[in-house]
């Protein structure tokens, strides 16, 4: 871990900043055992950075010829830094999301405000010496991965890297190695770890199991729909690919733990708002059949987060997040079925051993789909972190809903078995099947979680309790009819090559289909209602003694 950075203007060191929404144990003012011998200040700060897991930024000129006092005992990172700097003339400035910047003293800080350095020179651009300008990087996600005793990956939420509508938990997780998304249309819905079914993952929010009704409430599936959970309610997402005793045992694929955002991740008030428009290049069934109430191309959305600390010592924190999005997801699809001719004059739907290489269309289908998708919801969190106590408490609630209104119009043209040319000809139409299906899918994920975190000496206790919920319902009217028109042909052209396909031309007599007798088939008119819900109450107590990554032996 790097605890100091220095660079000049000609060789600029830029380290990509990790997310500002990580809650590491040291960021909660936890006391840990520190052992730093009296030594040169540079080495002391480096050792202190390793033992606390904090970035401590300084320049060699600041600490030259300065010795640090010994630091021993149980204390927070801030207390340890203050003790190391005692009698040195140096001061430490805490950074928003963890870590410290070392200053040469009050004179330099005063100069930074007045624009005059101690030697009387002018300060330009709020940088004391542009030849020694440096950038602080917070690498908490990397540090957590480095210090983990099992195989894990983490992805941090950064609002500036998740602009617009691309910011669900599923879309963030697929950035990790070994993690792939199982898509719904044009966006991932479920997560597969190392190619294993998402039914075999265990997904949690702050360690509490998320409820799931699977795909549509059907038995035998417990995959969690991460398409509906926005990234902005989290600080990071951890994926564990190997397991230890304190983790749940029902994760053959992996454990996915969503870490909520904390108000103490930011120094003072934090606010972020993103409003955007969405334009889809496909028009689909909306433009083709004149469906009302469906947007052909445009959609819109807005999302935002707000956090602040308050109280006499800023010991209380509040976090709020919200999301709204409505988008059009329309499309048109064409597909075909083929006959494969055999040497004996017969044909089959799949190539056989006696296939002559002759292929011809047997059915042509087209479908128009109109989809209107709406996401809306929010989350809130209240926190308490008393000053100079090894205690942290929070309560958090959320609810996110997704509605999808969909209309499908599908037609099948079944052709008579009289096609003799692959290059194009008129095909007699045997029958036409027409179907319309409408769906109003609604899925809602909600929950409430309480969290208590207490540390003292070598003892660590974390108590979490939660109640998570998921609801699903779908109303679907469906109608299907068929007709056997007389003396009706359809032209086709174009032999498929590569990814190409035959194209069906106009019908020889469009009125033949309109005047034909249409009949419902296989109970072709019906309505269905599907509903499912799950409620999961959870209580989890984790206690450890002398199990910190800096723990040494079993001595008291």
């Amino acid at each position: 871990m790097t605890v100091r950075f220095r660079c000049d203007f000609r060789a600029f060191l830029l380290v990509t900043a990790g997310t500002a929404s990580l809650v590491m144990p040291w960021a909660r003012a936890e006391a840990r055992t520190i052992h730093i011998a009296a030594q040169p200040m540079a080495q002391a700060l480096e050792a202190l950075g390793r033992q606390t897991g904090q970035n401590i930024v300084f320049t060699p000129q600041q600490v030259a010829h300065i010795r640090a006092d010994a630091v021993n005992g149980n204390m927070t990172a801030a207390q340890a830094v203050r003790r190391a700097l005692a009698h040195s003339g140096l001061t430490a400035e805490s950074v928003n999301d963890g870590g410290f910047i070392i200053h040469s003293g009050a004179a330099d800080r005063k100069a930074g405000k007045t624009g005059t350095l101690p030697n009387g020179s002018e300060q330009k651009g709020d940088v004391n010496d542009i030849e020694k300008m440096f950038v602080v990087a917070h690498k908490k996600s990397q540090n957590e991965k480095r210090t983990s005793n099992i195989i894990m990956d983490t992805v941090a939420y950064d609002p500036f890297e998740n602009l617009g509508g691309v910011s669900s938990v599923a879309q963030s997780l697929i950035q990790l190695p070994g993690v792939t998304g199982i898509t719904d249309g044009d966006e991932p819905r479920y997560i597969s770890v190392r190619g294993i079914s998402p039914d075999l993952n265990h997904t949690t929010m702050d360690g509490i199991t998320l409820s799931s009704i699977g795909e549509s409430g059907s038995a035998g599936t417990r995959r969690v729909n991460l398409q509906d959970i926005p990234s902005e309610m989290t600080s990071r997402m951890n994926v564990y690919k190997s397991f230890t005793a304190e983790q749940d045992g029902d994760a053959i694929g992996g454990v996915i733990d969503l870490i909520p955002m904390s108000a103490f991740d930011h120094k003072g008030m934090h606010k972020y708002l993103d409003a955007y428009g969405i334009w889809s290049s496909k028009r689909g069934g909306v433009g083709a059949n004149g469906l009302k109430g469906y947007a052909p191309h445009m959609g819109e959305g807005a999302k935002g987060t707000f956090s602040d600390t308050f109280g006499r010592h800023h010991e209380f924190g509040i976090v709020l997040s919200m999301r709204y999005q409505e988008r059009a997801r329309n499309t048109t699809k064409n597909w075909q079925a083929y006959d494969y001719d055999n040497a004996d004059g017969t044909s089959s739907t799949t190539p056989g051993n006696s296939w002559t290489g002759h292929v011809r269309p047997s059915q042509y289908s087209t479908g128009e789909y109109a989809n209107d998708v709406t996401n809306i919801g929010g989350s809130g969190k209240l926190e308490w972190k008393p000053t100079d106590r090894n205690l942290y408490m929070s309560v958090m609630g959320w609810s996110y809903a997704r509605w999808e209104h969909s209309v499908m119009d599908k037609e099948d043209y079944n052709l008579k078995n009289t096609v003799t040319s692959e290059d194009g000809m008129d095909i007699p139409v045997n029958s036409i099947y027409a179907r319309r299906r409408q769906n109003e899918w609604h899925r809602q994920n909600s929950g409430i979680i309480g969290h208590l975190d207490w540390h003292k000496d070598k003892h660590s206790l974390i108590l979490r309790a939660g109640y998570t919920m998921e609801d699903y319902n779908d109303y679907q009217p469906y109608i299907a009819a068929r007709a056997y028109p007389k003396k009706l042909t359809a032209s086709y052209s174009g032999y498929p090559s590569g990814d190409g396909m035959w194209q069906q031309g106009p019908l020889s007599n469009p009125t033949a289909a309109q005047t034909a007798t249409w009949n419902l088939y296989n109970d072709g008119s019906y309505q269905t209602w599907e509903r499912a819900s799950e409620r999961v109450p959870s209580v989890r107590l984790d206690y450890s003694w002398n199990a910190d990554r800096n723990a040494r032996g079993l001595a008291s």
Side-chain angles (χ1 to χ4, degrees):
M1 173 183 151
T2 302
V3 297
R4 60 178 179 179
F5 302 89
R6 183 173 70 91
C7 64
D8 56 33
F9 187 72
R10 293 178 296 274
F12 191 80
L13 174 63
L14 176 61
V15 183
T16 302
T19 181
S21 52
L22 301 179
V23 185
M24 297 293 286
W26 278 95
R28 295 178 182 168
E30 300 173 0
R32 299 296 172 90
T33 301
I34 302 295
H35 296 288
I36 304 290
Q39 57 187 303
M41 183 61 71
Q43 287 85 342
L45 292 177
E46 289 175 353
L48 189 57
R50 287 192 297 269
Q51 292 190 28
T52 63
Q54 297 287 304
N55 290 304
I56 304 176
V57 182
F58 58 92
T59 62
Q61 288 81 359
Q62 288 176 308
V63 298
H65 312 298
I66 299 178
R67 289 187 62 83
D69 294 336
V71 180
N72 293 287
N74 294 320
M75 63 195 75
T76 66
Q79 291 170 338
V81 172
R82 284 198 297 268
R83 290 193 188 183
L85 299 180
H87 312 113
S88 68
L90 302 173
T91 60
E93 175 191 355
S94 61
V95 184
N96 288 2
D97 310 300
F100 304 89
I101 298 177
I102 304 303
H103 294 284
S104 298
D108 282 356
R109 293 198 308 275
K110 183 177 180 180
K113 296 179 181 179
T114 63
T116 303
L117 297 178
N119 59 8
S121 60
E122 292 295 322
Q123 178 181 347
K124 298 181 180 180
D126 294 328
V127 178
N128 291 344
D129 186 351
I130 200 169
E131 294 296 314
K132 297 184 179 113
M133 183 168 59
F134 57 85
V135 177
V136 179
H138 306 293
K139 301 181 181 178
K140 290 185 177 178
S141 294
Q142 296 181 16
N143 290 339
E144 186 173 31
K145 182 176 178 179
R146 288 170 180 167
T147 57
S148 175
N149 59 356
I150 61 175
I151 300 174
M152 63 91 69
D153 280 303
T154 182
V155 56
Y157 171 70
D158 184 345
F160 299 101
E161 294 180 0
N162 291 269
L163 298 176
V166 185
S167 58
S168 73
V169 165
Q171 289 165 322
S172 296
L173 285 171
I174 60 175
Q175 301 176 57
L176 296 176
V179 178
T180 56
I182 298 176
T183 61
D184 163 45
D186 56 353
E187 57 182 324
R189 170 177 285 182
Y190 303 108
I191 294 301
S192 171
V193 180
R194 298 175 297 183
I196 299 175
S197 169
D199 290 314
L200 302 179
N201 295 333
H202 184 80
T203 307
T204 59
M205 175 74 72
D206 194 21
I208 296 298
T209 301
L210 286 176
S211 59
S212 173
I213 49 81
E215 181 68 33
S216 58
S218 56
T221 62
R222 58 183 181 89
R223 58 188 61 184
V224 175
N225 189 327
L226 298 176
Q227 179 186 37
D228 303 335
I229 302 178
S231 297
E232 59 262 21
M233 71 179 290
T234 68
S235 66
R236 68 190 185 281
M237 293 141 270
N238 294 340
V239 177
Y240 299 90
K241 301 177 182 178
S242 64
F243 313 104
T244 53
E246 74 272 12
Q247 292 178 300
D248 294 277
D250 59 348
I252 297 175
V255 174
I256 301 171
D257 189 22
L258 312 180
I259 311 299
M261 182 180 293
S262 170
F264 300 109
D265 295 342
H266 308 101
K267 191 172 184 179
M269 181 184 295
H270 166 81
K271 48 188 179 295
Y272 172 81
L273 178 64
D274 179 21
Y276 52 90
I278 304 171
W279 187 83
S280 174
S281 61
K282 295 183 179 180
R283 191 181 182 103
V286 174
N289 57 21
L291 287 173
K292 303 298 183 182
Y294 289 81
H297 293 291
M298 290 301 300
E300 71 279 343
K303 60 182 179 180
T305 57
F306 168 86
S307 74
D308 199 6
T309 57
F310 58 95
R312 182 177 180 182
H313 302 290
H314 292 273
E315 66 273 24
F316 295 99
I318 186 172
V319 181
L320 301 173
S321 70
M322 58 77 62
R323 157 68 63 88
Y324 163 76
Q325 183 187 97
E326 185 169 3
R327 60 189 293 250
R329 196 171 66 177
N330 309 314
T331 188
T332 299
K333 298 180 180 179
N334 297 320
W335 61 99
Q336 297 170 344
Y338 307 114
D339 279 339
Y340 299 85
D341 290 342
N342 302 317
D344 59 2
T346 62
S347 62
S348 57
T349 57
T350 57
N353 294 331
S354 59
W355 177 43
T356 63
H358 187 266
V359 183
R360 48 194 172 83
S362 62
Q363 182 190 68
Y364 185 89
S365 300
T366 181
E368 299 284 347
Y369 298 85
N371 292 77
D372 185 77
V373 183
T374 303
N375 293 80
I376 190 169
S379 67
K381 185 178 183 181
L382 183 63
E383 303 172 278
W384 180 50
K385 186 178 71 172
T387 305
D388 296 329
R389 295 187 190 178
N390 304 317
L391 182 66
Y392 170 85
M393 298 178 63
S394 69
V395 60
M396 172 185 176
W398 74 90
S399 184
Y400 288 93
R402 177 186 177 94
W403 289 273
E404 181 174 346
H405 302 276
S406 173
V407 178
M408 177 204 76
D409 287 310
K410 180 176 180 287
E411 296 81 35
D412 298 314
Y413 299 87
N414 298 304
L415 311 178
K416 291 183 179 179
N417 191 23
T418 56
V419 179
T420 58
S421 172
E422 295 173 333
D423 298 323
M425 63 175 291
D426 290 337
I427 315 168
V429 177
N430 180 60
S431 60
I432 303 176
Y433 286 67
R435 301 173 176 86
R436 167 166 281 201
R437 185 196 70 206
Q438 294 180 247
N439 289 92
E440 294 183 4
W441 290 290
H442 175 217
R443 184 186 292 263
Q444 186 151 359
N445 188 292
S446 309
I448 183 169
I449 294 176
H451 183 120
L452 185 148
D453 195 335
W454 173 79
H455 295 268
K456 184 177 181 180
D457 298 328
K458 298 180 180 181
H459 302 276
S460 173
L461 185 145
I462 301 177
L463 173 64
R464 286 165 287 191
Y467 189 74
T468 61
M469 302 157 279
E470 186 167 40
D471 297 285
Y472 169 89
N473 63 73
D474 174 36
Y475 167 63
Q476 175 186 282
Y478 180 90
I479 187 169
R482 63 183 173 187
Y484 294 90
K486 298 180 179 179
K487 298 181 180 180
L488 179 65
T489 62
S491 62
Y492 78 97
S493 62
Y495 184 74
S497 59
D499 295 329
M501 61 188 303
W502 278 291
Q503 296 296 316
Q504 178 175 315
L507 298 175
S508 60
N509 181 13
T511 60
Q514 298 174 6
T515 57
T517 301
W518 288 85
N519 295 294
L520 300 179
Y521 72 99
N522 294 335
D523 297 324
S525 177
Y526 58 86
Q527 303 176 75
T528 60
W529 289 265
E530 294 183 354
R531 291 189 176 182
S533 65
E534 184 177 67
R535 305 290 186 268
V536 179
S538 302
V539 177
R540 176 172 178 170
L541 177 64
D542 294 294
Y543 170 78
S544 62
W545 178 81
N546 201 35
D548 182 72
R549 57 190 174 92
N550 295 318
R552 302 183 181 184
L554 299 177
S556 61

